[in-house]
Structures are given as C-alpha cells and as structure tokens.
Amino acid sequence: MAREIAEDVLAPEAAGVDGDHRWPDKGMAALRSQLGGLVVPVESGGMGHALLAVAQVGEATGRACASTSICFGMHLVGSAVIAAKASPRHRLHYLEPIAAGDHLTTLALSEPGTGAEFWLPQTRMERVEGDRLRLTGAKSFVTNAGHADSYVLSTLAAGPGKPPGQFSCTVVDATTAGLEWGPSWQGFGMRGNASRGLELRGAEIPGWCLLGEEGDEIWYVFNVVAPYFLMAMAGTYLGLAAAALEEARSHLLRGKGARAGRSAAGQPVVQHRLGTMWARVERTRRLVYHAAAEAEMGGPEALPALASAKAEVAEAAEATVNDALTLAGGIGYGERSPLHRMLRDARAAHVMSPVTDLLRVWTGRALLGESLLEG
C-alpha cells in the first residue's frame, strides 16, 4: 500500500510540495486513509504493527517525497505514544478515529530553550479547578503544525509540592483555546513539513488528556518516542538514498542506450562508484531493519542499533546523493533535477534531533553500560 501511494500520489506531488513550500495534503490524505492506523493496536481498530513496519513504510514513502514521509512518520510516532498507555477515553477519542483514517496527530516536543535535549521540557503543566490541566510554554519545529487534529506534548509539572524535574506527556486537541501558532519555518530542505512554533498561553485541557501517569515523560521518550522517531527518520532517509541510487543508475542506463560503446556506463571508475553506492545503501538498509527487529524483541543490541541506524542513514543519504550528482553531471545539477531536492532534504537528517553526533555518543555509552543522559 505504501509503495502504491508513493508512486501514484506522492511522487507526482513531490516537486510541487518542495517548490511551493506547501504541506502535502493529497499525500497525507491518502496515507492517513489507508495506513493511518498502522501502529494502532488491533483492539482499537488499527493494524497493530510496530517499528519494522514504520521503517518499511518510511522507506517506501521516502523514495518519493521525504517531506511527506516525515509528516506521516510524525503521525505514526504520535499514535504510538498515545497507544502506549492508552486509557479507554484515549482509545475512544484518539486511537479509534486514527485507525479509521479520520484523525491526524503529531509530536510537539522540541522547545526554543532546550536545543537537542528535547527530553527536558520547560513547558509548565499545572492542575487547576475541575480536574483540568493548564499548559504554559512554547514548542518549536512542530511538524504538521496547523494541520494535525491533536498534538502530543511534553511538559514539566509545576506547583506547590511538585518534585523538580517531574516531566509528563499530554495530548492536546487542535481546537483547544490558548494555542497560538508562529510563522511557517522556511527550510533549506524538507520544505513541505509545515514546521512552526507553538505558544501555549494557559491552554486548558481535561485531566484525562494526561498520557500515563505524572512523571512518565522520560519513560515515553526512551521506550516509545525515540525508537519510533528514529525508525521513522531512518526509513525516510533510507528511501531517499535508494531513490538517489536509482536516479544515478537510470541516468547511466539512458546514456548507455544513446551512446553504445562510448557511454559513461562502460567506464570502470563509474562502475566502481555505482557499486560502492549500492553496497552503502544495502548495508544501511540491513542495519535499519535489524535495529527495528531487535527493538521489537527487546534484544540486547536494540539501543546501539537504533541510535546507529539513524546516524548511518544520515551519512548514507548525504553521500549517496552527492555520488549520484557526480555520476549525473550537469543534468543532475540542474534545478529541475530531483537530485536537487534530494540533496537539500538529505542534509536535514543530520540536524533533526537526536543529531548524528549525539547518536554516536549514545551508541558508545550503551556499549559501555553508561547512562545516556550523563555529561
């Protein structure tokens, strides 16, 4: 289904989404209607899949349009967070509509003052009269901003008697009063993800919108958010790398047909470069899928594999697009070439938190039995 939607809907829209800096409404509508409940439990009407499916779907959609793939990936991550400790009201109000294709959710974790440390929110959550929660603070780089039906937020509990650093997760409906969106972020790449800042000016939500228990946010981040986010990212940029490889191969095959005996495809140096590209993409794919399967099983290599998967994909995508540009020459370097978009989109893989350098540190700490968050 993901491949069909990618080929029929996402690919024809990709250049326009990028060129017009517009949110991919057609692609998102198709994905939401057919695969919106991918990670929603079967008992809530969903498909009941987990990390491996997220990576595979991300690869299929990332081949066609990285912006759309990330937008849908953030919906899947948000869905997984809601489902992790869902109450009956969460299932009725969020999971069942998500599974039916009628509800789009997304993450709102990053904040202006926390940088890459998205697990340390400063947004304040206070209990007020009538078993309600009041949220005050700011979020940044919210994907699907202004288009989602709900937002999964991280908060810091505040008030008399609250222990310091008690972080919690909530879900907030888009119709909640007190949500104020900032201007659209204009990126070098990933131009269709509708990323905006969000001000929470005393927004009040029902108490049942708390996800899990107060103080559960760190559990959510490392048991749900990070694994699903890393696989959504890894799948997307794996698809982008595979698309760049295929673009280079197709270019060389077209040249081979036009200039028999004198084409670039007949040159050993070109063959060597293309072979190296294929091996890079394929070994990265194996790491991504191994990481997903290992994490689903709770295996001992889950943490270093998940962290390394996104880091390796970021490097593979950037290097593969650069190699494809070298092989395609002036045609690939043209502004209308899909490689133009792929190069800009690929660079975002390094800067989307957790950034590549941090993931390398996490991998080393995991291998040495050290806490990820120390230092």
Side-chain angles (χ1 to χ4, degrees):
M1 269 191 281
R3 285 193 293 268
E4 289 176 0
I5 294 170
E7 293 169 4
D8 297 343
V9 185
L10 272 57
E13 292 283 310
V17 165
D18 177 71
D20 298 338
H21 294 250
R22 61 178 167 84
W23 190 72
D25 53 344
K26 291 183 180 179
M28 288 296 289
L31 289 167
R32 185 179 63 189
S33 65
Q34 297 296 314
L35 293 166
L38 184 74
V39 300
V40 172
V42 173
E43 55 268 28
S44 294
M47 302 172 75
H49 289 293
L51 295 168
L52 183 57
V54 170
Q56 291 172 322
V57 167
E59 181 181 357
T61 54
R63 282 176 179 262
C65 178
S67 285
T68 309
S69 187
I70 286 295
C71 287
F72 187 63
M74 293 308 97
H75 163 78
L76 296 179
V77 182
S79 300
V81 176
I82 296 171
K85 294 186 178 183
S87 69
R89 296 184 84 164
H90 295 150
R91 289 192 285 270
L92 178 64
H93 193 74
Y94 297 108
L95 295 180
E96 291 177 10
I98 287 171
D102 297 329
H103 187 103
L104 182 71
T105 192
T106 196
L107 291 183
L109 269 61
S110 297
E111 297 189 2
T114 59
E117 295 179 323
F118 60 90
W119 56 88
L120 297 175
Q122 297 302 306
T123 296
R124 294 165 62 89
M125 179 186 75
E126 299 174 281
R127 288 197 175 271
V128 295
E129 188 177 354
D131 191 31
R132 295 182 66 78
L133 303 172
R134 179 182 296 143
L135 308 176
T136 306
K139 296 295 180 179
S140 57
F141 300 115
V142 180
T143 299
N144 297 318
H147 299 279
D149 299 298
S150 65
Y151 299 86
V152 173
L153 273 70
S154 53
T155 67
L156 173 65
K162 294 293 183 184
Q166 188 175 48
F167 307 119
S168 302
C169 281
T170 65
V171 59
V172 179
D173 288 341
T175 55
T176 301
L179 304 185
E180 184 177 313
W181 291 105
S184 296
W185 176 73
Q186 301 298 316
F188 175 69
M190 303 301 292
R191 292 175 171 176
N193 70 354
S195 182
R196 298 166 73 181
L198 171 63
E199 291 281 344
L200 296 130
R201 301 186 180 276
E204 291 191 11
I205 58 176
W208 60 264
C209 288
L210 180 71
L211 297 175
E213 302 294 331
E214 286 193 49
D216 274 355
E217 191 243 353
I218 295 295
W219 180 90
Y220 276 105
V221 164
F222 287 101
N223 289 278
V224 189
V225 174
Y228 277 88
F229 183 83
L230 291 170
M231 284 299 97
M233 290 280 290
T236 290
Y237 288 104
L238 174 61
L240 189 154
L245 171 64
E246 185 56 33
E247 186 70 20
R249 179 173 175 270
S250 297
H251 171 80
L252 293 171
L253 288 174
R254 287 193 297 270
K256 181 179 179 180
R259 302 180 63 190
R262 299 182 58 199
S263 69
Q267 302 300 315
V269 66
V270 170
Q271 297 162 355
H272 180 277
R273 187 181 290 268
L274 189 67
T276 301
M277 292 165 65
W278 183 91
R280 180 194 300 130
V281 172
E282 187 60 25
R283 68 174 177 261
T284 304
R285 177 180 289 114
R286 296 304 164 194
L287 173 59
V288 171
Y289 288 176
H290 164 71
E294 186 77 357
E296 285 187 13
M297 295 186 299
E301 294 183 346
L303 183 52
L306 286 168
S308 293
K310 193 254 187 183
E312 288 292 314
V313 163
E315 295 185 356
E318 188 177 33
T320 304
V321 177
N322 274 317
D323 282 345
L325 280 164
T326 298
L327 293 178
I331 293 175
Y333 197 69
E335 191 169 348
R336 294 182 180 273
S337 165
L339 292 172
H340 183 278
R341 180 182 75 251
M342 291 178 195
L343 181 65
R344 290 183 285 102
D345 288 348
R347 193 61 186 82
H350 285 294
V351 300
M352 286 188 174
S353 189
V355 298
T356 301
D357 287 342
L358 179 60
L359 290 170
R360 297 299 194 195
V361 171
W362 281 1
T363 301
R365 286 179 175 170
L367 294 172
L368 294 171
E370 298 288 331
S371 172
L372 296 192
L373 302 184
E374 288 182 358

